[in-house]
Structure formats: structure tokens, C-alpha cells
Amino acid sequence: MTFSRLPSRRLVLAAGTGLVLSSLSAMAPAAAQGEKVKLLVGYQDLTVPSTVDASKVLEGAPYEVEWVILPGPAAQLSALYSKNIDVGHMGDTSLIIEQGKAKDDWSAANPPLQIVAGWRANDAKYPPIVTVVRTDANINTLAELRGKKWAYNFGGFNYLQYVLSGLKAGLTPKDYEPVQLGDQNATAAAFNSGRVDAYSGSIAPVGEAIEKGAARVIVNSDELDIPALNVFTARGDVLKDPAKKAAIADFLARVRTHWTWYANNLDTVEKLYIDKVKQTPARAKLTTVYQKANFRPLDDDLVKREQHIADVLFEAGAVPKKIDVNVEFNRSFNAATVGGN
């Protein structure tokens, strides 16, 4: 079976029928009355779509799910706004940046986008997001990034990791050479090949370099108090559609069950990452542990932490407006994801 990582292609998972590919331009018309609801779910790579498919949790669902593979949060946001997807995959801080730079203020009564679920890895050995440096660059502190090449991608918690690492170092982009690339796979490739000295993003694509001693973590997301959740974000009009909202709730409940399957089938997952996602054995081994996750509640504690991040970004000039992050979270799906309200 052929998989594509290109934004111009769509990875489709029709519930209970397996994985196929179709053209992103061949958009299906809205479901007529009596037809199954179809959810277009964006994801940035093939990992979770592949494990959800292997777990078979979507079999028998009374709706269809199509996974649309679009690398990077910017592509996910663009697809949401253009209505090419209903739900997108990004980091928990993507909407902070989006709202903070929006021309019009977001209304609590009619937000354009809202986070409906969030999850992160369970193993404390693997903090979700890191700033790493190449060992041969002889960088021992954040301050020593001065004059170095530092790769990052815009949007989401990868970008936040980059911004907060710079603030902690007391540096601005004028003090080093920023290298902005399209997504974390591109930034990681630049780092792993030695074209840049530092990288901010997920630990997974640079994990082999760390384990081999070619790179080391200089600060992680936990040390910067970044929640670092992967999230599903839905468009406002989708959440106002009763049929689609019900389908999203059921979909999230099934993905929750998938996480249990995942934890009980690590050998199967690792082989899947090698055979279908085309990772190296070493990368697949790390990714299997890194991706073993659970949904986390969208609650007051999370919103408080996110608000602090939004305030820091505003004070640092990274976003032009002071915002209320509470509008970005839809807590009505907590019952499906974590069994709460």
C-alpha cells in the first residue's frame, strides 16, 4: 500500500475499510440527508492515522473518517480555514499565536477555531519538545547560541519552544542566525545533517542523534513550563453542526480506546512504523515510546498555564495582542476523552 506525505495528497481512512489515497482536490460534496457524516481529520504525519487503523477502533462507526496528511501546523490551519478539513492536528499553543495575530478579536460566542482534545507522551524520559545542540558545535549554555544557526518551524509549540528558549537565553534573533523551515521534519533534517547548530521541536526526529551522542538537549519544554500537548482543533461551524459534533465525540472516544490498544501492542506499533511509516528501526523504537500517550483534560489548570504563555508571548512582542485563551478550548468533549466534563 502506498502512502504520501505530500500536502497535495490525502490519506483516507473510511471507518472500517482500511487505508487508501485520494486527491485533495476531489472534495466530496456535503453529505445529503440520510448519508453517513464524513469527518475530514488532518494529521501532520502517518503515525497516529496508521496506529488508529491498525487498532480497528473505527470499525462499525456510524460515520466516515478521512485522514488528510498535511505536514506542519501552518498547513493544518490553512486547510481548516479553507474547509478542506474539519479537524486539524497541531500543538496546544498554535491557537495562541493564531488568535494573538488575528485581525479581528475572537468572540467566546463564535470562535473560528477551538481545541477539542489534547494528548501527550507518558514517559518522563522523553519530554515532548526540546531545544538541542550539536555536540561538535561546543555549545554548553543557551547563551552560547549567539552567532550560531538555529532551526525552527513557525506555529505551535515548536515555535513556542524556540521563542521561550531565546528569552531564557537573553537573546533575540539578531544575536544568532534563525533558520525557519516548513515543518519539524525539515528542521530536524537540517540539524541531523549538520547544516544548523541548534534545533527546537519534537524530540522524536532528533532522538537518534541524541542517543548516539551527536546532539544533546540544552532545555526541554517541561523546564519552560510548556504543556506541549498535541491537539485536535475543530472549526467553529463544524462544532455547530449537531451531526458532526456527535461524530467528533464518538471519534475521540474511539481514539481514546486506541491509546489502550497502543500501550498493549508496542511491538506491533514499532513494526508498523518501520513497514508503513518507513522509519529506520532506531527511529521507530524511539517513536513507539514517544507516541505512547493518553488524552489530558481541557481544564482550568491547563487554561491557566496557556494564559501565562500567551501573556509572556505578548510581553515579548511575539504576538501583537493580549488575548484570553479560554475562548480557544471546547471542554464539552472531556467526557469522550478522559471521562470528565
Side-chain angles (χ1 to χ4, degrees), residues 7-340:
S8 60
R9 302 289 287 175
R10 182 196 295 170
L11 174 66
V12 179
L13 171 56
T17 64
L19 293 168
V20 297
L21 285 169
S22 70
S23 169
L24 184 60
S25 63
M27 294 299 298
Q33 188 172 2
E35 292 182 356
K36 273 189 176 183
V37 169
K38 180 182 289 185
L39 288 180
L40 303 174
V41 181
Y43 210 80
Q44 294 187 36
D45 58 36
L46 296 171
T47 54
V48 169
S50 296
T51 56
V52 169
D53 178 50
S55 72
K56 301 186 184 304
V57 296
L58 291 180
E59 288 189 354
Y63 50 87
E64 294 181 357
V65 174
E66 296 188 1
W67 293 97
V68 183
I69 304 304
L70 298 166
Q76 295 283 324
L77 287 164
S78 178
L80 281 166
Y81 283 127
S82 63
K83 299 188 178 182
N84 281 324
I85 59 175
D86 302 312
V87 178
H89 165 227
M90 57 198 68
D92 57 329
T93 56
S94 291
L95 294 195
I96 289 176
I97 297 166
E98 191 68 12
Q99 186 188 175
K101 293 189 173 185
K103 179 180 178 181
D104 299 320
D105 292 340
W106 286 22
S107 163
N110 192 33
L113 303 168
Q114 283 192 308
I115 292 169
V116 297
W119 68 98
R120 65 170 283 177
N122 300 320
D123 195 328
K125 180 182 177 182
Y126 300 101
I129 312 300
V130 293
T131 295
V132 297
V133 295
R134 293 190 59 82
T135 304
D136 57 15
N138 296 317
I139 300 169
N140 297 304
T141 67
L142 282 170
E144 291 175 8
L145 285 166
R146 185 182 298 274
K148 305 296 185 179
K149 293 182 179 180
W150 189 349
Y152 70 99
N153 68 283
F154 183 75
F157 47 47
N158 289 354
Y159 178 65
L160 181 65
Q161 176 75 20
Y162 162 75
V163 170
L164 295 189
S165 296
L167 289 175
K168 187 176 179 67
L171 302 175
T172 72
K174 294 180 180 179
D175 298 317
Y176 52 84
E177 185 177 341
V179 179
Q180 182 179 337
L181 298 172
D183 60 66
Q184 72 178 12
N185 289 324
T187 56
F191 178 80
N192 290 331
S193 65
R195 299 198 304 273
V196 297
D197 305 300
Y199 156 92
S200 289
S202 167
I203 194 173
V206 296
E208 289 183 66
I210 294 170
E211 293 191 349
K212 291 177 180 177
R216 66 185 185 86
V217 177
I218 200 163
V219 66
N220 66 51
S221 51
D222 290 338
E223 292 170 323
L224 296 173
D225 196 29
I226 300 172
L229 300 181
N230 284 275
V231 302
F232 281 130
T233 295
R235 207 169 53 252
D237 64 286
V238 171
L239 294 173
K240 289 183 177 181
D241 182 326
K244 285 205 170 183
K245 185 174 182 180
I248 290 172
D250 184 80
F251 167 74
L252 293 174
R254 290 170 186 261
V255 175
R256 177 187 181 187
T257 301
H258 145 269
W259 290 125
T260 301
W261 173 90
Y262 188 114
N264 293 330
N265 294 273
L266 296 181
D267 289 343
T268 299
V269 170
E270 187 173 331
K271 188 174 187 302
L272 187 69
Y273 288 157
I274 294 171
D275 294 342
K276 289 192 174 182
V277 186
K278 305 303 180 184
Q279 294 185 347
T280 65
R283 171 76 181 274
K285 191 176 188 66
L286 176 66
T287 304
T288 298
V289 178
Y290 173 75
Q291 295 274 41
K292 187 176 72 171
N294 283 314
F295 282 124
R296 304 298 176 92
L298 306 183
D299 57 16
D300 289 342
D301 179 64
L302 175 62
V303 170
K304 181 179 179 181
R305 294 176 69 190
E306 302 285 2
Q307 186 64 58
H308 173 69
I309 288 169
D311 293 342
V312 168
L313 290 177
F314 171 70
E315 291 165 6
V319 295
K321 294 194 299 186
K322 189 172 179 63
I323 61 171
D324 177 7
V325 302
N326 190 57
V327 68
E328 301 169 8
F329 291 89
N330 189 314
R331 307 189 194 193
S332 66
F333 297 94
N334 276 346
T337 58
V338 296

